[in-house]
Amino acid sequence: MGLFAKAFLAATAVATVGAVDIVVQSNGGNQTGKFGHPYGYGFLHEDINNSGDGGIYAELIQNRAFQYSKAFPVSTAHYFPINGASLTINNGTQPLSKALPASMKVAAGNSTVGKVGFENEGYWGIDVRAHKYTGSFWVKGAYTGAFTASLQSNLTDDVFGSVQVESKSVDSEWTEHTFELTPEKDAPNSNNTFAITFDPKGTQSGSLDFNLISLFPPTYKNRKNGLRVDIAEALAEMNPHFLRFPGGNMLEGLENDTYWDWKDTLGPLKERPGFQGVWGYQQTHGLGMMEYLEWAEDMDLQIVIGVWAGLALNGDVTPKEDLQPFIDDALNEIEFVRGSVDTEWGAKRAALGHPEPFELNYVEIGNEDWLAGFPEGWDSYKEYRFIMFHDAIKAKYPEIQIIGSSATSDPAPEGATTGPNLVDGIKYPADAIGDYHPYREPDELVEEFDRFDNDIGHIIGEVAATHVNGATPPRWNGPLYKYPWWIGAVGEAVSLLGYERNSDRIPGTFYAPVLKNENRFQWPITLIQFTADARQTTRAVTWYCWSLFAHHPISHTLPTSSNSSYGPVYWGAGKDEARNGALVWKGAVYNTTDNASVPIIVHFEGVQPGAKAQLTVLTNSVGDPYAYNDPRTGVQIVDSKTTELTAGTSGTFEFSLPQLSVAVLDTEVTGNSTGGYKKAKRTPVPRYQKRW
């Protein structure tokens, strides 16, 4: 056990005596972040927990295009017949497109009277509100008449809204039908379906083929094929700075021939074949490269793009002699994102409606290459895969920050959670940084407070408190906790302070995974939980801690001195040039053995008596350290209080923090309604070398 670990355990075992007196120096420290952007908080998105399809991607129809793969056979799942109709899969000779070869044949029975059709249950329901929905479907087969598209209850006979769609359908080709539908009232719950019916008397054979059946509510920023408003707004309200995509395991794929191919996600939906998901379900590719880039643009996020690097989850490794085409593909991907319209792939992006290049400063080579297919996958990454990608990208884009897919502690020795691994680790070139993924118990996250005080640069590409204290060993043989819980959130906050203390070398920290559909999930610990009903979208307790820190950015760290060592109070401090040099102190109290509040005195050098500062403190309103925000009951346990403090005669701010609390003290007191501050556009400023 290291000295810091021993000090941590000792500090948490005794009561705090006297005030913790902290002086924040006015000079020294380091510029945070890179590329003119300060250190920031963000998240990784990959489609786990139906966080994409059935989540932030706003499409309401599940199995809309009957996509399939080796792992997930084609079916009519989530569709139900109306008036005795027969619903079968048609893999005929005239598909809608090469990408979408299967469709659904809807046929009337021999004794059917009246209209027939189908209804779709959506992603475990459909949220029906009195606003405009836009929809479309493709049909093949001669039909004279009209289709009826409707939103209706699955429990009663209520039809909340319907529209007649005149048929354009012919026998020889597929035709698209579009419509708008505005229900007359909100549905009382999300147990609703979307239905399409037609009169079989108007057909030649009593049947029609349907495909790409789509329905969208209003979307975030009104983007076509866009994001679900309530979920996107919950993420945006966190004031994030980074989006890392597409994973995560999703990037790697189950086998080498089923990785996440960015090119398959471009263009019209009927040209997107879908993706053999890695988390137990087929994916649509509706949330594709352009949608991710527009997501980042709409939230003003820096992006970290992972490029596939020749390793799949089953351990398939691409040999050295076969790797060059995938390196070329990664270069094309980068060109698509940031190339001018004069380049081949920049022109293709422009043809999709975005002539301006996106900003791309970070590219990660692979994902957790030390894990899948160990040791062959890891050996190949160290021997040739990383350096071949690195050298090719740097040759064309020398300014891009290359990120390796491991930390200096990967692969961690048995039982270890931190520290460099000098036996099996990789030594990255000086112009590359690593990627650290600490899924930990709260105590472990606190113990890692100084993890990066003496290490190379990294992103914290994935982090969360996932297991309760004492869950190890062996941690991964047992379940994750039900939801993010309060002591876990405070433990995370302590680790976040440690990362931000080193933010001249750590440009950003990413929560992962970020979203969970309560109806089907593989990983329960996420920032946001949701169902089809937007009224049940829930910000986890961790969201409030991350949001608090993100709303008070630090563009330049400042050294501190104190009469106390770290623990049970942990802190960091700095200033933000974008807010006229506002001074910021961030702290957390993690002490599970002492219920006493801790008196704290903060003195920003140069602050005069009578100066004002805003103190925001997060606590647990119910007292139980294992309590959580529950989307099933609506119970919220985070208590946030903001007060204005006045510096005393010696220019100090004095306050007390209870155990298991998170706080920010900020000398800019005119903020927005969240008690924080939106990120501002930045320009590069000089960097300093002194560590805080």
Side-chain angles (χ1 to χ4, degrees), residues 54-60 123 127 216-220 226-234 517 529-537:
I56 196 168
Y57 180 50
E59 173 65 78
L60 295 173
Y123 288 92
D127 196 25
F216 275 83
T219 61
Y220 184 67
L227 306 182
R228 182 171 144 175
V229 171
D230 59 305
I231 297 175
E233 286 182 345
N517 190 314
Q529 299 83 41
F530 61 91
T531 67
D533 190 340
R535 290 163 291 200
Q536 294 182 332
T537 297

Side-chain angles (χ1 to χ4, degrees), residues 57 84 122 169 218 228 350 383 499 540 638:
Y57 180 50
S169 185
R228 182 171 144 175
E383 292 168 7
Y499 307 145
V638 179

Side-chain angles (χ1 to χ4, degrees), residues 47 50 53 63 66-73 123 273-285 520:
D47 203 332
N50 278 100
D53 293 330
N63 195 20
F66 313 100
Q67 293 158 304
Y68 60 96
S69 59
K70 290 182 293 184
F72 307 107
Y123 288 92
F275 173 66
Q276 180 177 271
V278 301
W279 292 105
Y281 52 92
Q282 181 74 17
Q283 295 172 213
T284 68
H285 266 340
R520 180 167 65 187

Side-chain angles (χ1 to χ4, degrees), residues 483 516 518 529-531 535-538 628-636:
Y483 293 98
K516 181 184 74 170
E518 287 289 299
Q529 299 83 41
F530 61 91
T531 67
R535 290 163 291 200
Q536 294 182 332
T537 297
T538 301
Y628 49 82
N629 290 345
D630 193 335
R632 300 165 299 179
T633 64
V635 170
Q636 304 285 307

Side-chain angles (χ1 to χ4, degrees), residues 372-551:
F374 186 84
E376 289 81 5
W378 181 229
D379 289 343
S380 66
Y381 192 74
K382 292 188 294 182
E383 292 168 7
Y384 66 88
R385 290 193 295 114
F386 173 81
I387 200 64
M388 288 177 68
F389 275 88
H390 169 276
D391 290 354
I393 295 171
K394 276 294 185 181
K396 189 170 183 179
Y397 302 100
E399 69 281 7
I400 280 182
Q401 176 64 69
I402 297 295
I403 304 170
S405 72
S406 68
T408 52
S409 51
D410 292 325
E414 184 67 28
T417 60
T418 187
N421 177 8
L422 302 179
V423 177
D424 298 314
I426 185 172
K427 182 175 177 58
Y428 287 121
D431 59 4
I433 62 177
D435 182 2
Y436 187 49
H437 295 180
Y439 293 113
R440 300 281 188 266
E441 300 171 15
D443 280 356
E444 293 171 332
L445 289 171
V446 173
E447 188 174 328
E448 291 189 9
F449 176 72
D450 63 347
R451 164 69 175 79
F452 287 99
D453 286 0
N454 297 286
D455 204 343
I456 68 168
H458 286 70
I459 63 168
I460 313 302
E462 303 176 25
V463 59
T466 52
H467 295 77
V468 298
N469 290 329
T472 54
R475 178 192 295 116
W476 295 106
N477 285 0
L480 281 66
Y481 200 58
K482 296 172 285 187
Y483 293 98
W485 68 110
W486 185 245
I487 190 173
V490 180
E492 279 179 24
V494 172
S495 69
L496 297 182
L497 293 169
Y499 307 145
E500 194 159 4
R501 289 172 64 243
N502 292 282
S503 52
D504 59 319
R505 292 174 296 172
I506 299 175
T509 297
F510 302 72
Y511 196 96
V514 64
L515 303 171
K516 181 184 74 170
N517 190 314
E518 287 289 299
N519 292 286
R520 180 167 65 187
F521 59 88
Q522 299 76 41
W523 189 283
I525 302 296
T526 60
L527 276 182
I528 294 170
Q529 299 83 41
F530 61 91
T531 67
D533 190 340
R535 290 163 291 200
Q536 294 182 332
T537 297
T538 301
R539 295 156 177 80
V541 294
T542 46
W543 182 96
Y544 291 88
C545 298
W546 284 64
S547 179
L548 179 62
F549 285 176
H551 274 95

Side-chain angles (χ1 to χ4, degrees), residues 548-626:
L548 179 62
F549 285 176
H551 274 95
H552 297 269
I554 292 174
S555 64
H556 194 291
T557 63
L558 291 172
T560 67
S561 59
S562 177
N563 64 341
S564 171
S565 60
Y566 293 115
V569 182
Y570 300 84
W571 68 86
K575 61 184 176 181
D576 185 21
E577 285 97 341
R579 295 188 286 123
N580 298 315
L583 299 170
V584 181
W585 178 90
K586 301 181 181 182
V589 176
Y590 187 91
N591 180 355
T592 58
T593 63
D594 183 2
N595 290 320
S597 293
V598 181
I600 296 173
I601 301 171
V602 176
H603 180 197
F604 296 107
E605 285 187 347
V607 168
Q608 300 301 311
K612 304 293 185 182
Q614 189 178 75
L615 175 69
T616 301
V617 180
L618 303 181
T619 56
N620 171 0
S621 63
V622 300
D624 180 0
Y626 294 94

Side-chain angles (χ1 to χ4, degrees), residues 179-344:
F179 62 91
E180 295 180 351
L181 172 59
T182 303
E184 297 177 356
K185 62 179 180 178
D186 294 351
N189 54 58
S190 60
N191 198 345
N192 308 301
T193 64
F194 172 71
I196 294 177
T197 59
F198 62 94
D199 187 346
K201 293 180 180 179
T203 68
Q204 291 181 350
S205 62
S207 67
L208 297 171
D209 288 331
F210 289 81
N211 206 345
L212 196 50
I213 303 149
S214 177
L215 185 69
F216 275 83
T219 61
Y220 184 67
K221 304 290 187 180
N222 298 311
R223 290 278 191 184
K224 184 178 181 180
N225 197 51
L227 306 182
R228 182 171 144 175
V229 171
D230 59 305
I231 297 175
E233 286 182 345
L235 290 175
E237 288 168 9
M238 196 185 84
N239 201 36
H241 292 68
F242 279 99
L243 171 63
R244 176 177 168 238
F245 71 92
N249 288 0
M250 190 173 85
L251 172 66
E252 296 171 88
L254 296 177
E255 307 93 14
N256 262 3
D257 59 351
T258 62
Y259 66 93
W260 194 86
D261 189 338
W262 64 279
K263 301 183 298 301
D264 286 346
T265 76
L266 302 177
L269 295 180
K270 71 184 186 71
E271 304 301 332
R272 303 188 191 187
F275 173 66
Q276 180 177 271
V278 301
W279 292 105
Y281 52 92
Q282 181 74 17
Q283 295 172 213
T284 68
H285 266 340
L287 184 61
M289 175 62 80
M290 281 298 294
E291 288 76 23
Y292 274 118
L293 294 172
E294 289 167 347
W295 174 355
E297 184 175 65
D298 289 343
M299 292 188 190
D300 190 23
L301 306 177
Q302 285 279 292
I303 55 177
V304 176
I305 289 181
V307 296
W308 191 72
L311 176 68
L313 292 174
N314 71 343
D316 285 348
V317 175
T318 303
K320 183 176 183 179
E321 61 271 19
D322 297 334
L323 198 60
Q324 189 59 47
F326 302 105
I327 296 172
D328 296 339
D329 190 63
L331 294 173
N332 291 339
E333 184 176 5
I334 296 169
E335 183 176 278
F336 178 84
V337 177
R338 57 176 285 172
S340 73
V341 295
D342 299 325
T343 63
E344 177 185 0

